[in-house]
Amino acid sequence: MLETSARLLRLLSLLQARRDWTSTELATRLDVTTRTIRNDIGRLRGLGYPVDARPGVAGGYRLGSGRALPPLLLDDDEAVAVAVGLRTAASGSIAGIEETSMRALAKLQQVLPPRLRHRVRAFQSYALTMPSRGSQVDPDVLTVIAGACRDHERLRFDYRAHSGAASRRSVEPYRLVNDRRRWYLVAWDVDRDDWRTFRVDRIEPRTPTGPRFTPRDLPPDPDITARVARGVGEATWRYRARVIVHAPASHVRGRLPIPVEVQPLGEDRCVFEPGSDHPEMLALYLGMLDADFTIVDSPELVDALRTLTRRYQRAIDTSQKTSG
């Protein structure tokens, strides 16, 4: 059995790691009785940690919010991660937290042991951050959305679409995705009965949040981010076309600058639907696939290819005359 001081630190670490714990779960983790857990919870409260209790046979505890922020328990890697995150946030895509991030970083560096301070300073000295080109997000909005994701609470908000159209949405929020320029919310749209991706800088939450919901099955996180990346790339395209490429699907995926769904049509053919703001731009990209292709029912793209072909041919003819 752990000594009381060590056990309190371990108990605090568990309460910080997860939102809700039952007395039995905590007792099992610490190899003590539920009575000891109750006594230790009282000790933590005496030290200023706001621990909320849930009554009943299956009663439990959660670390609540208090008037003052009590000390956090961080290991070496967590402390460095927090310092690096604060430094990155100072030039990131969240509005109004630049100065706050630097103040918090200065306080953290004062208490870091020398071995960790050296690691953080190395990052600050040699790592540069590109200025954010996307719209900045209100940190309070991010906090509300993240809390709703964590607590499985329905979220209601006013939303402004890319076209400027305004709507009111009711969703089950699941993930926040950041591509270093913008923040996106992946959620189940209750009214439309389907998955949707929303830009967070266009969301105006309506409080309070809605009732709790039973979480749906989610694909792995890498699949979610890939879907968001694909949707973001397609969302603003004004023109789309269906293209059959006479090459394996793996070849086409490797040549595309963003993730796009490519469907195999056998071992040496595939089909996909690329997009662009202009047919001429799409024609240029298709030329860089390094493979033969066929356009399906897209006369505008065929015309753009003819235009480019004539232009390239004139360039070839002119260049041959000049060199001759």
Coordinates of all heavy atoms in Angstrom, one line a residue, residues 227-317:
R227 N -11.1 12.6 -43.7 CA -12.4 13.0 -44.2 C -12.6 14.5 -44.1 O -13.1 15.1 -45.1 CB -13.5 12.3 -43.4 CG -14.9 12.8 -43.8 CD -16.0 12.0 -43.0 NE -17.3 12.6 -43.4 CZ -18.4 12.0 -43.0 NH1 -18.4 10.9 -42.3 NH2 -19.6 12.5 -43.3
V228 N -12.1 15.1 -43.0 CA -12.2 16.6 -42.9 C -11.3 17.3 -44.0 O -11.8 18.2 -44.7 CB -11.8 17.1 -41.5 CG1 -11.7 18.6 -41.5 CG2 -12.8 16.6 -40.5
A229 N -10.1 16.8 -44.2 CA -9.2 17.3 -45.2 C -9.8 17.2 -46.6 O -9.8 18.2 -47.4 CB -7.9 16.6 -45.1
R230 N -10.4 16.1 -46.9 CA -11.1 15.9 -48.2 C -12.3 16.8 -48.3 O -12.4 17.5 -49.4 CB -11.5 14.5 -48.3 CG -12.1 14.1 -49.7 CD -12.2 12.6 -49.9 NE -13.1 12.0 -48.8 CZ -12.7 11.2 -47.9 NH1 -11.4 10.9 -47.8 NH2 -13.5 10.7 -47.0
G231 N -13.1 17.0 -47.3 CA -14.2 17.8 -47.4 C -13.9 19.3 -47.5 O -14.5 20.1 -48.2
V232 N -12.8 19.7 -46.7 CA -12.4 21.1 -46.8 C -11.9 21.4 -48.2 O -12.2 22.5 -48.8 CB -11.3 21.4 -45.8 CG1 -10.6 22.7 -46.0 CG2 -11.8 21.3 -44.4
G233 N -11.2 20.5 -48.8 CA -10.7 20.7 -50.2 C -11.8 20.8 -51.2 O -11.7 21.6 -52.2
E234 N -12.9 20.1 -51.0 CA -14.0 20.0 -52.0 C -15.0 21.1 -51.7 O -15.7 21.5 -52.6 CB -14.7 18.7 -51.9 CG -13.7 17.5 -52.3 CD -14.4 16.2 -52.1 OE1 -15.6 16.2 -51.5 OE2 -13.9 15.1 -52.5
A235 N -15.0 21.7 -50.5 CA -16.2 22.5 -50.1 C -16.2 23.8 -51.0 O -17.3 24.3 -51.3 CB -16.0 22.9 -48.6
T236 N -15.1 24.4 -51.4 CA -15.1 25.7 -52.1 C -14.9 25.5 -53.6 O -14.8 26.5 -54.3 CB -14.0 26.5 -51.5 OG1 -12.7 25.9 -51.7 CG2 -14.2 26.8 -50.0
W237 N -14.8 24.3 -54.1 CA -14.7 24.1 -55.5 C -15.9 24.5 -56.3 O -17.1 24.2 -55.9 CB -14.4 22.6 -55.9 CG -13.0 22.2 -55.5 CD1 -11.9 23.0 -55.2 CD2 -12.6 20.9 -55.3 NE1 -10.8 22.2 -54.9 CE2 -11.2 20.9 -54.9 CE3 -13.2 19.6 -55.4 CZ2 -10.4 19.8 -54.7 CZ3 -12.4 18.5 -55.1 CH2 -11.1 18.6 -54.8
R238 N -15.8 25.3 -57.3 CA -16.9 25.8 -58.1 C -17.1 24.8 -59.3 O -18.2 24.8 -59.9 CB -16.6 27.1 -58.7 CG -16.4 28.2 -57.6 CD -16.0 29.6 -58.3 NE -15.8 30.6 -57.3 CZ -15.4 31.8 -57.6 NH1 -15.2 32.2 -58.8 NH2 -15.2 32.7 -56.6
Y239 N -16.2 24.0 -59.6 CA -16.3 23.1 -60.8 C -15.8 21.7 -60.4 O -14.7 21.6 -59.8 CB -15.5 23.7 -62.0 CG -15.6 22.8 -63.2 CD1 -16.7 22.8 -64.0 CD2 -14.6 21.9 -63.5 CE1 -16.8 22.0 -65.2 CE2 -14.7 21.0 -64.6 CZ -15.8 21.1 -65.4 OH -15.8 20.3 -66.5
R240 N -16.5 20.7 -60.8 CA -16.1 19.3 -60.6 C -16.3 18.5 -61.9 O -17.0 18.8 -62.8 CB -17.0 18.7 -59.5 CG -16.8 19.3 -58.1 CD -17.8 18.7 -57.1 NE -17.4 17.3 -56.9 CZ -16.5 16.9 -56.0 NH1 -15.9 17.8 -55.3 NH2 -16.2 15.6 -55.8
A241 N -15.5 17.4 -62.0 CA -15.6 16.5 -63.1 C -15.3 15.1 -62.7 O -14.7 14.8 -61.7 CB -14.5 17.0 -64.2
R242 N -15.8 14.2 -63.5 CA -15.6 12.8 -63.3 C -14.5 12.3 -64.3 O -14.7 12.5 -65.5 CB -16.9 12.0 -63.5 CG -16.7 10.5 -63.2 CD -18.1 9.8 -63.2 NE -18.0 8.4 -63.0 CZ -17.9 7.8 -61.9 NH1 -18.0 8.5 -60.7 NH2 -17.9 6.5 -61.7
V243 N -13.4 11.7 -63.8 CA -12.3 11.4 -64.6 C -11.9 9.9 -64.4 O -11.8 9.5 -63.3 CB -11.1 12.3 -64.3 CG1 -9.9 12.0 -65.2 CG2 -11.4 13.8 -64.4
I244 N -11.7 9.2 -65.5 CA -11.2 7.8 -65.5 C -9.7 7.9 -65.8 O -9.3 8.4 -66.9 CB -11.9 6.9 -66.5 CG1 -13.4 6.8 -66.1 CG2 -11.3 5.6 -66.5 CD1 -14.2 6.0 -67.0
V245 N -8.9 7.4 -65.0 CA -7.4 7.4 -65.2 C -7.0 6.0 -65.5 O -7.3 5.1 -64.8 CB -6.7 8.0 -63.9 CG1 -5.2 8.1 -64.2 CG2 -7.2 9.3 -63.5
H246 N -6.1 5.9 -66.5 CA -5.6 4.6 -67.0 C -4.3 4.3 -66.2 O -3.2 4.2 -66.8 CB -5.4 4.6 -68.5 CG -6.7 4.9 -69.2 ND1 -7.7 4.0 -69.5 CD2 -7.2 6.1 -69.7 CE1 -8.7 4.5 -70.1 NE2 -8.4 5.8 -70.3
A247 N -4.5 4.1 -64.9 CA -3.4 3.8 -64.0 C -4.0 3.3 -62.7 O -5.2 3.6 -62.4 CB -2.5 5.1 -63.8
P248 N -3.2 2.6 -61.9 CA -3.7 2.1 -60.6 C -4.1 3.2 -59.7 O -3.6 4.4 -59.8 CB -2.5 1.3 -60.0 CG -1.6 1.0 -61.2 CD -1.8 2.2 -62.2
A249 N -5.1 2.9 -58.8 CA -5.6 4.0 -57.9 C -4.5 4.5 -57.0 O -4.4 5.6 -56.6 CB -6.7 3.4 -57.0
S250 N -3.5 3.6 -56.6 CA -2.4 4.0 -55.7 C -1.5 5.0 -56.4 O -1.0 5.9 -55.8 CB -1.6 2.8 -55.3 OG -1.1 2.1 -56.5
H251 N -1.4 4.9 -57.7 CA -0.6 5.9 -58.5 C -1.2 7.3 -58.4 O -0.6 8.3 -58.2 CB -0.4 5.4 -59.9 CG 0.2 6.5 -60.8 ND1 1.6 6.7 -60.9 CD2 -0.4 7.4 -61.6 CE1 1.8 7.7 -61.7 NE2 0.6 8.1 -62.2
V252 N -2.6 7.3 -58.6 CA -3.3 8.6 -58.6 C -3.3 9.2 -57.2 O -3.0 10.4 -57.1 CB -4.7 8.4 -59.1 CG1 -5.5 9.7 -59.0 CG2 -4.7 7.9 -60.5
R253 N -3.5 8.4 -56.2 CA -3.5 9.0 -54.8 C -2.1 9.6 -54.5 O -2.1 10.6 -53.8 CB -3.8 7.9 -53.8 CG -5.2 7.3 -53.9 CD -5.5 6.4 -52.7 NE -6.8 5.7 -52.9 CZ -6.9 4.5 -53.2 NH1 -5.8 3.7 -53.5 NH2 -8.1 3.9 -53.4
G254 N -1.1 9.0 -55.0 CA 0.3 9.5 -54.7 C 0.6 10.8 -55.4 O 1.5 11.5 -55.0
R255 N -0.2 11.1 -56.5 CA 0.1 12.3 -57.3 C -0.8 13.5 -56.9 O -0.5 14.6 -57.3 CB -0.1 12.0 -58.8 CG 0.7 10.9 -59.3 CD 2.1 11.2 -59.5 NE 2.3 12.3 -60.5 CZ 3.5 12.6 -61.0 NH1 4.6 12.0 -60.5 NH2 3.7 13.6 -61.9
L256 N -1.8 13.2 -56.1 CA -2.7 14.3 -55.7 C -2.2 15.1 -54.5 O -1.7 14.5 -53.6 CB -4.1 13.7 -55.4 CG -4.8 13.0 -56.6 CD1 -6.1 12.3 -56.1 CD2 -5.1 14.0 -57.7
P257 N -2.4 16.4 -54.5 CA -1.9 17.3 -53.4 C -2.7 17.2 -52.2 O -2.2 17.5 -51.1 CB -2.0 18.7 -54.0 CG -3.0 18.6 -55.0 CD -3.0 17.2 -55.6
I258 N -4.0 16.8 -52.3 CA -4.9 16.6 -51.1 C -5.6 15.3 -51.2 O -5.7 14.7 -52.2 CB -5.9 17.8 -51.0 CG1 -6.9 17.7 -52.2 CG2 -5.3 19.1 -50.9 CD1 -8.0 18.7 -52.1
P259 N -6.0 14.7 -50.0 CA -6.7 13.5 -50.1 C -8.0 13.6 -50.8 O -8.9 14.4 -50.6 CB -7.0 13.2 -48.6 CG -6.1 14.0 -47.8 CD -5.9 15.2 -48.6
V260 N -8.2 12.7 -51.8 CA -9.4 12.6 -52.6 C -9.8 11.1 -52.8 O -8.9 10.3 -52.9 CB -9.2 13.2 -54.0 CG1 -10.4 13.0 -54.9 CG2 -8.9 14.7 -53.9
E261 N -11.1 10.8 -52.7 CA -11.5 9.4 -52.9 C -11.3 9.0 -54.3 O -11.8 9.6 -55.2 CB -13.0 9.3 -52.5 CG -13.5 7.9 -52.5 CD -14.9 7.8 -52.0 OE1 -15.5 8.8 -51.6 OE2 -15.5 6.6 -52.0
V262 N -10.5 7.9 -54.4 CA -10.2 7.3 -55.7 C -10.7 5.9 -55.7 O -10.3 5.1 -54.9 CB -8.7 7.3 -56.0 CG1 -8.4 6.7 -57.4 CG2 -8.2 8.7 -56.0
Q263 N -11.6 5.5 -56.7 CA -12.2 4.2 -56.7 C -11.5 3.3 -57.8 O -11.5 3.8 -59.0 CB -13.7 4.3 -57.0 CG -14.5 5.0 -56.0 CD -15.9 5.1 -56.3 OE1 -16.4 4.8 -57.4 NE2 -16.7 5.6 -55.4
P264 N -10.9 2.2 -57.4 CA -10.3 1.3 -58.4 C -11.4 0.8 -59.4 O -12.5 0.5 -59.0 CB -9.7 0.2 -57.6 CG -9.6 0.7 -56.2 CD -10.8 1.7 -56.1
L265 N -10.9 0.6 -60.7 CA -11.8 0.0 -61.7 C -11.0 -1.2 -62.3 O -10.8 -1.3 -63.5 CB -12.1 1.0 -62.8 CG -13.0 2.2 -62.4 CD1 -13.2 3.1 -63.6 CD2 -14.3 1.7 -61.9
G266 N -10.4 -2.0 -61.4 CA -9.5 -3.0 -61.8 C -8.1 -2.7 -61.4 O -7.8 -1.7 -60.6
E267 N -7.1 -3.4 -61.9 CA -5.7 -3.2 -61.5 C -5.1 -2.0 -62.1 O -4.2 -1.4 -61.5 CB -4.9 -4.5 -61.9 CG -5.3 -5.7 -61.1 CD -4.5 -6.9 -61.4 OE1 -3.5 -6.8 -62.3 OE2 -4.7 -8.0 -60.8
D268 N -5.5 -1.6 -63.3 CA -4.8 -0.5 -64.0 C -5.7 0.6 -64.4 O -5.4 1.4 -65.3 CB -4.1 -1.1 -65.3 CG -5.0 -1.8 -66.2 OD1 -6.2 -1.9 -65.9 OD2 -4.6 -2.2 -67.3
R269 N -6.9 0.7 -63.8 CA -7.8 1.8 -64.1 C -8.4 2.3 -62.8 O -8.6 1.4 -61.9 CB -8.8 1.5 -65.1 CG -8.3 1.2 -66.5 CD -9.4 0.6 -67.4 NE -10.4 1.6 -67.8 CZ -11.7 1.6 -67.5 NH1 -12.1 0.5 -66.8 NH2 -12.5 2.5 -67.9
C270 N -8.8 3.5 -62.7 CA -9.5 4.0 -61.5 C -10.3 5.2 -61.9 O -10.1 5.8 -63.0 CB -8.6 4.3 -60.4 SG -7.3 5.6 -60.8
V271 N -11.2 5.7 -61.1 CA -12.0 6.9 -61.3 C -12.1 7.7 -60.1 O -12.1 7.2 -59.0 CB -13.5 6.4 -61.8 CG1 -14.1 5.6 -60.6 CG2 -14.3 7.6 -62.2
F272 N -12.1 9.0 -60.3 CA -12.2 10.0 -59.2 C -12.9 11.2 -59.7 O -13.0 11.5 -60.9 CB -10.9 10.2 -58.5 CG -10.0 11.1 -59.2 CD1 -9.6 12.3 -58.7 CD2 -9.5 10.8 -60.5 CE1 -8.7 13.2 -59.4 CE2 -8.6 11.6 -61.2 CZ -8.2 12.8 -60.6
E273 N -13.3 12.1 -58.8 CA -14.0 13.3 -59.1 C -13.2 14.5 -58.5 O -13.5 15.0 -57.4 CB -15.4 13.3 -58.6 CG -16.3 12.3 -59.3 CD -17.7 12.3 -58.8 OE1 -18.1 13.2 -58.0 OE2 -18.6 11.5 -59.3
P274 N -12.2 15.0 -59.3 CA -11.5 16.2 -58.8 C -12.3 17.5 -59.0 O -13.3 17.5 -59.7 CB -10.2 16.2 -59.7 CG -10.7 15.6 -61.0 CD -11.8 14.5 -60.6
G275 N -11.8 18.5 -58.4 CA -12.5 19.8 -58.5 C -11.5 21.0 -58.5 O -10.4 20.9 -58.1
S276 N -12.0 22.1 -59.0 CA -11.2 23.3 -59.0 C -12.2 24.5 -59.2 O -13.4 24.3 -59.5 CB -10.2 23.3 -60.2 OG -9.4 24.5 -60.2
D277 N -11.7 25.7 -59.1 CA -12.5 26.9 -59.4 C -12.7 27.1 -60.9 O -13.6 27.8 -61.3 CB -11.9 28.1 -58.7 CG -12.1 28.1 -57.2 OD1 -12.9 27.4 -56.7 OD2 -11.3 28.9 -56.5
H278 N -11.8 26.6 -61.7 CA -11.8 26.8 -63.1 C -11.5 25.5 -63.9 O -10.5 24.8 -63.4 CB -10.8 27.9 -63.5 CG -11.1 29.2 -62.8 ND1 -12.1 30.1 -63.1 CD2 -10.4 29.8 -61.8 CE1 -12.0 31.1 -62.3 NE2 -11.0 31.0 -61.5
P279 N -12.1 25.2 -65.0 CA -11.8 24.0 -65.8 C -10.3 24.1 -66.2 O -9.7 23.0 -66.3 CB -12.7 24.1 -67.0 CG -13.9 24.9 -66.5 CD -13.3 25.9 -65.5
E280 N -9.8 25.3 -66.5 CA -8.4 25.3 -67.0 C -7.4 24.9 -65.9 O -6.4 24.2 -66.2 CB -8.0 26.8 -67.4 CG -8.8 27.3 -68.7 CD -10.2 27.7 -68.3 OE1 -10.6 27.8 -67.1 OE2 -11.0 28.0 -69.3
M281 N -7.7 25.3 -64.7 CA -6.8 24.8 -63.6 C -6.9 23.3 -63.4 O -5.9 22.7 -63.2 CB -7.2 25.6 -62.3 CG -6.3 25.3 -61.1 SD -4.6 25.9 -61.4 CE -4.9 27.6 -61.3
L282 N -8.1 22.8 -63.5 CA -8.2 21.3 -63.4 C -7.5 20.6 -64.5 O -6.9 19.6 -64.3 CB -9.7 21.0 -63.4 CG -10.1 19.5 -63.1 CD1 -9.5 19.0 -61.9 CD2 -11.6 19.4 -63.1
A283 N -7.6 21.2 -65.7 CA -6.9 20.6 -66.8 C -5.3 20.5 -66.6 O -4.7 19.5 -66.9 CB -7.1 21.3 -68.1
L284 N -4.8 21.6 -66.0 CA -3.4 21.6 -65.6 C -3.0 20.5 -64.6 O -2.0 19.8 -64.8 CB -3.0 23.0 -65.1 CG -2.9 24.1 -66.1 CD1 -2.7 25.4 -65.4 CD2 -1.8 23.9 -67.1
Y285 N -3.8 20.3 -63.6 CA -3.6 19.3 -62.6 C -3.7 17.9 -63.2 O -2.9 17.1 -62.8 CB -4.6 19.5 -61.4 CG -4.2 20.5 -60.4 CD1 -5.0 21.6 -60.2 CD2 -3.0 20.4 -59.7 CE1 -4.6 22.6 -59.3 CE2 -2.6 21.4 -58.8 CZ -3.5 22.5 -58.6 OH -3.1 23.5 -57.7
L286 N -4.6 17.7 -64.0 CA -4.7 16.4 -64.7 C -3.5 16.0 -65.5 O -3.1 14.9 -65.6 CB -6.0 16.3 -65.5 CG -7.3 16.3 -64.7 CD1 -8.5 16.4 -65.7 CD2 -7.5 15.1 -63.9
G287 N -2.9 17.1 -66.1 CA -1.7 16.8 -66.9 C -0.5 16.4 -66.0 O 0.4 15.8 -66.6
M288 N -0.6 16.7 -64.8 CA 0.5 16.3 -63.9 C 0.3 14.9 -63.2 O 1.1 14.5 -62.4 CB 0.7 17.4 -62.8 CG 1.2 18.7 -63.3 SD 1.6 19.9 -62.1 CE -0.1 20.4 -61.5
L289 N -0.7 14.2 -63.6 CA -0.9 12.9 -63.1 C 0.1 11.9 -63.7 O 0.2 10.8 -63.1 CB -2.4 12.4 -63.4 CG -3.5 13.1 -62.6 CD1 -4.8 12.5 -63.1 CD2 -3.3 12.8 -61.1
D290 N 0.7 12.2 -64.8 CA 1.6 11.3 -65.4 C 1.0 10.0 -65.8 O 1.5 8.9 -65.6 CB 2.9 11.1 -64.5 CG 4.0 10.4 -65.3 OD1 4.1 10.6 -66.5 OD2 4.8 9.7 -64.7
A291 N -0.2 10.1 -66.4 CA -1.0 9.0 -66.8 C -2.1 9.4 -67.8 O -2.5 10.6 -67.8 CB -1.6 8.2 -65.6
D292 N -2.5 8.5 -68.7 CA -3.6 8.8 -69.6 C -4.9 8.8 -68.9 O -5.0 8.1 -67.9 CB -3.6 7.8 -70.7 CG -2.4 7.9 -71.7 OD1 -1.8 8.9 -71.7 OD2 -2.1 6.8 -72.3
F293 N -5.8 9.6 -69.4 CA -7.1 9.7 -68.7 C -8.2 10.0 -69.7 O -8.0 10.5 -70.8 CB -7.1 10.8 -67.6 CG -6.7 12.2 -68.1 CD1 -7.6 13.0 -68.5 CD2 -5.4 12.6 -68.0 CE1 -7.3 14.3 -69.0 CE2 -5.0 13.8 -68.4 CZ -5.9 14.7 -68.9
T294 N -9.5 9.8 -69.2 CA -10.6 10.0 -70.0 C -11.6 10.8 -69.2 O -11.9 10.5 -68.1 CB -11.3 8.7 -70.4 OG1 -10.4 7.9 -71.2 CG2 -12.5 8.9 -71.3
I295 N -12.2 11.9 -69.9 CA -13.1 12.8 -69.2 C -14.5 12.2 -69.5 O -14.9 11.9 -70.6 CB -13.1 14.2 -69.8 CG1 -11.6 14.7 -69.7 CG2 -14.0 15.1 -69.0 CD1 -11.0 14.7 -68.3
V296 N -15.3 12.1 -68.4 CA -16.7 11.6 -68.5 C -17.7 12.7 -68.3 O -17.8 13.3 -67.3 CB -16.9 10.5 -67.4 CG1 -18.4 9.9 -67.5 CG2 -15.9 9.4 -67.5
D297 N -18.4 13.0 -69.4 CA -19.6 14.0 -69.4 C -19.1 15.3 -68.8 O -19.8 15.9 -67.9 CB -20.7 13.4 -68.5 CG -21.3 12.2 -69.2 OD1 -21.3 12.1 -70.4 OD2 -21.8 11.3 -68.5
S298 N -18.0 15.9 -69.2 CA -17.6 17.2 -68.8 C -17.1 18.0 -70.0 O -15.9 18.1 -70.2 CB -16.5 17.0 -67.7 OG -16.9 16.3 -66.6
P299 N -18.0 18.5 -70.8 CA -17.5 19.3 -72.0 C -16.7 20.5 -71.7 O -15.8 20.8 -72.5 CB -18.9 19.6 -72.6 CG -19.9 19.6 -71.6 CD -19.4 18.5 -70.7
E300 N -16.9 21.2 -70.5 CA -16.1 22.3 -70.2 C -14.6 21.9 -70.0 O -13.7 22.7 -70.4 CB -16.6 23.0 -68.9 CG -18.1 23.5 -69.1 CD -19.1 22.5 -68.6 OE1 -18.7 21.3 -68.5 OE2 -20.3 22.8 -68.4
L301 N -14.4 20.8 -69.3 CA -13.1 20.4 -69.1 C -12.4 19.9 -70.4 O -11.2 20.2 -70.7 CB -13.0 19.2 -68.1 CG -11.7 18.6 -67.8 CD1 -10.7 19.7 -67.3 CD2 -11.8 17.5 -66.7
V302 N -13.2 19.3 -71.3 CA -12.6 18.9 -72.6 C -12.2 20.2 -73.4 O -11.2 20.2 -74.1 CB -13.7 18.1 -73.4 CG1 -13.2 17.9 -74.9 CG2 -13.9 16.8 -72.7
D303 N -13.1 21.2 -73.4 CA -12.7 22.5 -74.1 C -11.5 23.1 -73.5 O -10.6 23.6 -74.2 CB -13.9 23.5 -73.9 CG -15.1 23.1 -74.8 OD1 -14.9 22.2 -75.7 OD2 -16.2 23.6 -74.5
A304 N -11.3 23.0 -72.1 CA -10.1 23.6 -71.5 C -8.9 22.8 -71.9 O -7.8 23.4 -72.1 CB -10.3 23.5 -70.0
L305 N -9.0 21.5 -72.1 CA -7.9 20.7 -72.6 C -7.5 21.1 -74.0 O -6.3 21.1 -74.3 CB -8.2 19.2 -72.5 CG -8.3 18.6 -71.1 CD1 -8.9 17.2 -71.1 CD2 -6.9 18.5 -70.5
R306 N -8.5 21.3 -74.8 CA -8.2 21.7 -76.2 C -7.5 23.1 -76.2 O -6.5 23.3 -77.0 CB -9.5 21.9 -77.0 CG -10.2 20.6 -77.3 CD -11.3 20.8 -78.4 NE -12.0 19.6 -78.7 CZ -13.2 19.3 -78.3 NH1 -13.8 20.2 -77.5 NH2 -13.8 18.1 -78.6
T307 N -7.9 24.0 -75.4 CA -7.3 25.3 -75.3 C -5.8 25.2 -74.9 O -4.9 25.8 -75.5 CB -8.0 26.2 -74.3 OG1 -9.4 26.4 -74.8 CG2 -7.4 27.6 -74.2
L308 N -5.6 24.4 -73.9 CA -4.2 24.2 -73.4 C -3.4 23.5 -74.5 O -2.2 23.8 -74.7 CB -4.2 23.4 -72.1 CG -4.6 24.1 -70.8 CD1 -4.7 23.2 -69.7 CD2 -3.7 25.3 -70.5
T309 N -4.0 22.5 -75.2 CA -3.2 21.8 -76.2 C -2.8 22.7 -77.3 O -1.6 22.7 -77.8 CB -4.1 20.7 -76.8 OG1 -4.5 19.8 -75.8 CG2 -3.4 19.9 -77.9
R310 N -3.7 23.6 -77.8 CA -3.3 24.6 -78.8 C -2.2 25.5 -78.3 O -1.3 25.9 -79.1 CB -4.6 25.3 -79.3 CG -5.6 24.5 -80.1 CD -6.6 25.4 -80.7 NE -7.5 26.0 -79.8 CZ -8.7 25.5 -79.4 NH1 -9.1 24.3 -79.9 NH2 -9.4 26.1 -78.5
R311 N -2.4 26.0 -77.0 CA -1.4 26.9 -76.5 C 0.0 26.2 -76.4 O 1.0 26.8 -76.8 CB -1.8 27.4 -75.1 CG -0.9 28.4 -74.5 CD -1.5 29.0 -73.2 NE -2.7 29.7 -73.5 CZ -3.9 29.5 -72.8 NH1 -3.9 28.6 -71.9 NH2 -4.9 30.2 -73.2
Y312 N 0.0 25.0 -75.9 CA 1.3 24.3 -75.8 C 1.9 24.0 -77.2 O 3.1 24.1 -77.4 CB 1.1 22.9 -75.1 CG 0.9 23.1 -73.6 CD1 0.1 22.1 -72.9 CD2 1.4 24.2 -72.9 CE1 -0.1 22.2 -71.6 CE2 1.2 24.3 -71.6 CZ 0.4 23.3 -70.9 OH 0.2 23.5 -69.5
Q313 N 1.0 23.7 -78.2 CA 1.5 23.5 -79.5 C 2.1 24.7 -80.1 O 3.2 24.7 -80.8 CB 0.4 22.9 -80.4 CG 0.9 22.5 -81.8 CD 1.9 21.4 -81.7 OE1 1.6 20.3 -81.1 NE2 3.0 21.5 -82.3
R314 N 1.5 25.9 -79.9 CA 2.0 27.1 -80.4 C 3.4 27.4 -79.7 O 4.3 27.9 -80.4 CB 1.1 28.3 -80.1 CG -0.2 28.3 -81.0 CD -0.9 29.6 -80.9 NE -1.3 29.9 -79.6 CZ -2.5 29.6 -79.1 NH1 -3.4 28.9 -79.8 NH2 -2.9 29.9 -77.8
A315 N 3.5 27.1 -78.4 CA 4.8 27.3 -77.8 C 5.9 26.4 -78.4 O 7.0 26.8 -78.5 CB 4.6 27.0 -76.3
I316 N 5.5 25.1 -78.7 CA 6.4 24.2 -79.3 C 6.9 24.7 -80.7 O 8.1 24.8 -81.0 CB 5.8 22.8 -79.4 CG1 5.6 22.2 -78.0 CG2 6.7 21.9 -80.2 CD1 4.9 20.9 -78.0
D317 N 5.9 25.2 -81.5 CA 6.2 25.6 -82.8 C 7.1 26.9 -82.8 O 8.1 27.0 -83.5 CB 4.9 25.9 -83.6 CG 4.1 24.7 -83.8 OD1 4.7 23.6 -83.8 OD2 2.9 24.8 -84.1

